[in-house]
Amino acid sequence: MSNASDHEAIVGKLNLYGFAVDTQRWDLFDDVFTDYVDADFGGSAHWTSLAQFKTDFAAFHAPFDATQHGMTNHQVRVRGDRAHSFTYGAWRLIRHAAANAQADGPLWDGTGWYDDEWVCTHAGWRITKRVCRLIWSTGNDRVKETIPGVVFEKVYDSLRDEARAGRLGFLKAIDARDGD
């Protein structure tokens, strides 16, 4: 069972992630992720180096006029110096240059989830592995086409399908705790 301060620290880092993206303060990722994070956002959007993750996220987000990331429904399980969390996310990406005369506007909205593994370092809690999946989206797909070759795959598997397939680290953490 996690104590309140660990839970609060992890939720704070989850919210800091959304703030870092929306302010394009990529240095804040150093407070959220380990140097060798395994960040899997689906498709070709997969990183194993924090430095490359920050560089690519900066390039991907630079063309947007604005973004907004909401992080909700935080679930956290702590076991010693390791933890798992599961968070829902909602994203709005705005890029006026992607709008055109065919009534495709400057917006792309999506919702999905983050399944994270954490380690407590000398500097505090950091994500060592992140899986992010899209559940729903609407709007102009060209808004998010900012880097050639980096495709955030449109995967609309339901959460229950991911759970049945055994691909949710957070669910494995719950099951391990219940087995104690």
Side-chain angles (χ1 to χ4, degrees):
M1 184 101 181
S2 67
N3 69 46
S5 64
D6 288 331
H7 184 275
E8 184 177 327
I10 289 171
V11 169
K13 298 290 177 136
L14 291 165
N15 292 331
L16 180 61
Y17 164 80
F19 180 78
V21 173
D22 294 338
T23 59
Q24 296 193 9
R25 289 284 311 274
W26 309 113
D27 59 308
L28 294 175
F29 274 26
D30 297 336
D31 293 332
V32 178
F33 299 99
T34 59
D35 287 339
Y36 298 99
V37 64
D38 179 357
D40 177 1
F41 283 67
S44 60
H46 194 154
W47 297 270
T48 55
S49 156
L50 179 57
Q52 191 63 53
F53 184 36
K54 290 181 348 182
T55 297
D56 288 350
F57 256 51
F60 175 76
H61 288 86
F64 297 125
D65 297 299
T67 62
Q68 187 174 33
H69 289 71
M71 313 297 281
T72 65
N73 296 52
H74 307 293
Q75 297 294 315
V76 178
R77 294 292 182 266
V78 177
R79 292 184 87 147
D81 67 348
R82 298 283 178 172
H84 285 83
S85 67
F86 190 86
T87 307
Y88 289 125
W91 315 276
R92 170 160 276 182
L93 309 178
I94 303 166
R95 196 174 98 180
H96 295 287
N100 66 27
Q102 284 82 28
D104 289 334
L107 302 178
W108 184 85
D109 293 321
T111 64
W113 49 263
Y114 301 93
D115 187 22
D116 296 322
E117 292 180 22
W118 297 79
V119 63
C120 191
T121 71
H122 68 281
W125 287 102
R126 300 291 187 269
I127 296 171
T128 188
K129 181 176 182 179
R130 165 164 278 184
V131 175
C132 175
R133 291 296 182 262
L134 180 68
I135 295 295
W136 170 88
S137 70
T138 189
N140 182 353
D141 278 335
R142 286 193 332 271
V143 167
K144 62 184 178 59
E145 294 173 3
T146 62
I147 301 177
V150 175
V151 177
F152 290 86
E153 188 175 306
K154 256 189 171 173
V155 177
Y156 296 113
D157 289 341
S158 74
L159 191 54
R160 68 179 163 263
D161 292 338
E162 293 293 309
R164 282 187 199 126
R167 291 188 289 259
L168 295 177
F170 179 74
L171 196 54
K172 290 175 188 176
I174 290 173
D175 292 343
R177 180 206 62 206
D178 292 343
D180 287 343

